[in-house]
Amino acid sequence: MNDQLHHVTLNFADGVTHSFSVPRGANILDAAIEAEMPVLYQCRSGSCSSCICNLADGDAATLPGASSTLLASEYEAGQRLLCVSQARSDCTFNLGYGSEVGASAAHEVHAFIDSVERIASNVVKLTLELADGEWMEFRPGQFMQIVVPGLGVLRSYSPSSTQVDLPKMEFLIRLLPGGAMSGFLEHEAETDQVLTLSGPYGAFFLREESRRAPHIFVAGGTGLAPILSMIDTLRQGGGRKPPMLLSFGCAVPEALFSLEDIELRQQWLPTLETRICVDREATEGLHLGSPVSALREGDVTSPDTVAYLCGPQPMIDAATARLIELGVKPENIFAEQFVASN
Ligand code: FES
């Protein structure tokens, strides 16, 4: 039976449909890439959620021995990670992004270091400028991989800047004791040094089709970076700005950063409300508790509200549960977990 082919249909959010064949028992993502489908992916091992989609019809299961970050409840609800799934019948999947998104394939670029600036007790702002003639189209929220010079290992970061700022790109990077990128940035990085980046990656990005709906952003630590890029993209777009709420938190006041940037945006965007949170030692004007605990009854004013969450997994889980409780539809909640790597 192994050579039996199943027909897989992909419905993209922009109404475009593509289909391809996959042998029974074979990896669906591999077959999709082979057939040049505009699908998003990155790790190809079930851990980044870039390839997430919803099984609308048919039978698709996790490949034997593969691990996946999906919760049992998400799997039950039809979510699948294409990179660890096999088709057991003809299948139809709904994708949460338009067909044009995956069409801008990841590629490699080079960029010069403009500056490395310590902006909090454990965060630096890395500003880069793309080399002449090189370009990196990306959506606010997506991430790039940067090669750590000398070590050759890759680290993933989302720009806090936007497409409009190119050829400049800005990243907010958490310093980790013993971290490869942290060591490089603290001790070796020099102005004009060349870094190699690849991207864009990821399915966490601002949904253009919802830009008029109220937005809620929840950010923990450097999870603020993609959120700033999203807020700036909404600001730079024409027309009336949607109501926006940003809840941003760090452990203690000296770990907070980018507060001036946030304040500026509040001045530019009267529809932006912000809550800055710390887990301990709150001083005046700061909310004591997590950015999730700062969400209140009455924050969700429309059934169309969209929410973007970026931070550690426990924060994302708590924010998702709270937002659903407050009335946000699960399908309007988009999240990116960041994992610290040493
Ligand atoms: S590509 Fe990372 S989970 Fe599938």
Side-chain angles (χ1 to χ4, degrees):
M1 287 293 277
N2 258 354
D3 53 358
Q4 185 184 332
L5 287 180
H6 291 306
H7 194 72
V8 175
T9 304
L10 302 177
N11 293 326
F12 291 86
D14 55 354
V16 171
T17 292
H18 284 298
S19 49
F20 60 100
S21 298
V22 54
R24 187 180 178 85
N27 183 305
I28 299 178
L29 181 70
D30 288 352
I33 294 170
E34 173 99 35
E36 299 185 355
M37 296 289 122
V39 286
L40 293 176
Y41 61 91
Q42 196 240 326
C43 70
R44 298 178 79 161
S45 60
S47 58
C48 75
S49 299
S50 296
C51 64
I52 198 162
C53 60
N54 225 289
L55 179 66
D57 197 28
D59 183 6
T62 304
L63 284 156
S67 66
S68 146
T69 49
L70 286 182
L71 303 174
S73 56
E74 293 170 329
Y75 188 90
E76 278 300 301
Q79 298 202 340
R80 295 290 184 274
L81 298 176
L82 287 180
C83 69
V84 290
S85 295
Q86 58 172 322
R88 296 201 292 207
S89 72
D90 289 352
C91 296
T92 301
F93 295 98
N94 294 335
L95 299 150
Y97 52 89
S99 58
E100 77 293 350
V101 176
S104 57
H107 63 285
E108 196 176 282
V109 293
H110 300 93
F112 295 96
I113 296 181
D114 261 3
S115 61
V116 180
E117 184 193 347
R118 173 86 70 135
I119 56 170
S121 54
N122 63 347
V123 178
V124 298
K125 182 194 283 183
L126 171 66
T127 309
L128 304 179
E129 180 151 349
L130 289 176
D132 264 358
E134 304 208 23
W135 206 249
M136 173 73 81
E137 299 274 333
F138 65 96
R139 282 158 196 268
Q142 286 193 298
F143 66 91
M144 276 99 228
Q145 292 192 320
I146 304 181
V147 181
V148 183
L151 296 176
V153 294
L154 297 171
R155 291 293 179 263
S156 301
Y157 304 103
S158 302
S160 52
S161 53
T162 71
Q163 185 81 13
V164 171
D165 302 314
L166 289 172
K168 292 240 190 233
M169 294 178 98
E170 202 177 88
F171 297 88
L172 306 176
I173 298 179
R174 183 154 75 107
L175 296 174
L176 296 163
M181 185 60 92
S182 306
F184 167 73
L185 291 174
E186 279 193 292
H187 307 298
E188 291 162 42
E190 286 175 8
T191 309
D192 288 338
Q193 195 170 352
V194 178
L195 297 182
T196 305
L197 282 71
S198 59
Y201 297 111
F204 179 65
F205 55 81
L206 192 72
R207 297 319 204 249
E208 279 297 318
E209 60 278 15
S210 303
R211 58 180 312 138
R212 303 260 174 262
H215 284 59
I216 295 179
F217 300 103
V218 184
T222 47
L224 181 66
I227 301 292
L228 285 179
S229 180
M230 291 180 178
I231 292 174
D232 275 351
T233 302
L234 287 169
R235 179 171 65 83
Q236 289 154 355
R240 260 187 48 203
K241 309 299 177 229
M244 290 175 250
L245 168 65
L246 165 65
S247 189
F248 163 52
C250 286
V252 289
E254 62 267 26
L256 289 167
F257 52 91
S258 298
L259 297 186
E260 283 174 16
D261 294 330
I262 293 172
E263 218 166 280
L264 256 185
R265 275 144 191 86
Q266 251 188 310
Q267 289 172 18
W268 291 333
L269 286 164
T271 60
L272 172 66
E273 180 188 342
T274 61
R275 294 179 197 152
I276 310 295
C277 316
V278 285
D279 295 334
R280 337 182 265 284
E281 300 162 27
T283 48
E284 209 195 320
L286 299 177
H287 169 90
L288 178 64
S290 74
V292 180
S293 70
L295 299 173
R296 314 194 268 258
E297 294 289 335
D299 281 342
V300 179
T301 51
S302 155
D304 298 329
T305 300
V306 282
Y308 297 91
L309 325 172
C310 190
Q313 191 63 47
M315 185 210 85
I316 287 177
D317 294 344
T320 304
R322 179 67 175 141
L323 287 165
I324 291 173
E325 186 180 281
L326 292 175
V328 183
K329 293 182 192 144
E331 63 270 30
N332 286 348
I333 301 176
F334 304 96
E336 177 100 305
Q337 168 208 4
F338 62 64
V339 196
S341 41
N342 283 307

